[in-house]
Amino acid sequence: MWTLPNMLTLSRIVGVPVLVACLWWPGWHAGYGIGFVLYSLIAVTDYLDGYLARAQGTVSKLGVFLDPIADKIMVAAVLMMLVARGDIGGWHVIAAMIILLREIMVSGLREFLGGIQVSVPVSQLAKWKTTLQLVALGALILAGALPAWPWVHSVGLASLWGAAILTCITGWDYLRVGLKHMD
C-alpha cells in the first residue's frame, strides 16, 4: 500500500492546500510564482505515479481510487482560487464551470458504473483534455507571477476554453456509455 506511486499520489493531495495558500494573497506575485512551481511539481507527479505503478507492476486499488480524486481536488481548488482572485473572470467563468461540472459528472458516472462492474477507459481525447487543462491552469497561475507579460494570461484563457470544449466532447462520450447501462 505504501508504494512510491501511492506516496506520490498522496503528496499531490497534501500539496493542494499549500498551493491554495500560495494563491490566497492578492497581489503577492511571489506567491503565484511559488504556486506555479508547486503546481508544476504536482502535475509531474500526476504523470509519474501512474507511469511508475505500471512500470514497477505496483498498480494498487488504493492508487486506482486516489489518483482521479487527487486530480479533481487539484483542478477544483485551482479553478476556485483563480475565479475567486479574478484571474478567471467574466465569460471565462463559464469555461471554468464547464470543466468543474464535467469533473463532478464523470466522477458520479464512474462510481455508478463501478457499482455495476462496468469499466470506462480513459480515451485519448480525454488525455488531451487533461493536458490542455493542465496547461491552462499553469499559465493562469504563472500569469499572476508575471503581470508584465499579459500574453501568458491570454494563453491561459485560450487553453481554458480549449479544455472546456474538449471537456464537453469527452463528457458526452462518457455519458453516452453510461446511459447504455441505466434503466
Side-chain angles (χ1 to χ4, degrees), residues 28-170:
W28 187 39
H29 303 303
Y32 274 83
I34 295 165
F36 176 74
V37 171
L38 183 57
Y39 175 83
S40 298
L41 287 172
I42 290 171
V44 168
T45 63
D46 183 20
Y47 168 77
L48 249 169
D49 62 4
Y51 173 79
L52 289 174
R54 288 184 297 276
Q56 297 174 347
T58 58
V59 174
S60 69
K61 290 180 182 177
L62 179 65
V64 170
F65 168 72
L66 284 180
D67 185 64
I69 290 172
D71 295 343
K72 285 163 185 36
I73 288 171
M74 185 195 60
V75 168
V78 170
L79 282 172
M80 287 179 18
M81 285 307 301
L82 293 173
V83 169
R85 292 288 157 227
D87 299 303
I88 299 174
W91 288 98
H92 303 294
V93 173
I94 293 170
M97 287 300 299
I98 288 170
I99 291 169
L100 189 56
L101 292 174
R102 184 261 192 201
E103 295 295 335
I104 294 167
M105 183 202 68
V106 169
S107 292
L109 187 59
R110 283 186 182 276
E111 185 176 334
F112 167 76
L113 293 173
I116 58 172
Q117 298 180 343
V118 174
S119 175
V120 182
V122 176
S123 69
Q124 189 61 42
L125 193 59
K127 290 179 182 182
W128 279 104
K129 183 270 314 173
T130 299
T131 301
L132 200 53
Q133 185 174 281
L134 287 172
V135 168
L137 297 179
L140 290 166
I141 293 170
L142 183 60
L146 304 170
W149 295 3
W151 63 269
V152 175
H153 189 255
S154 297
V155 167
L157 292 176
S159 299
L160 186 71
W161 278 104
I165 290 167
L166 292 180
T167 289
C168 290
I169 295 167
T170 60

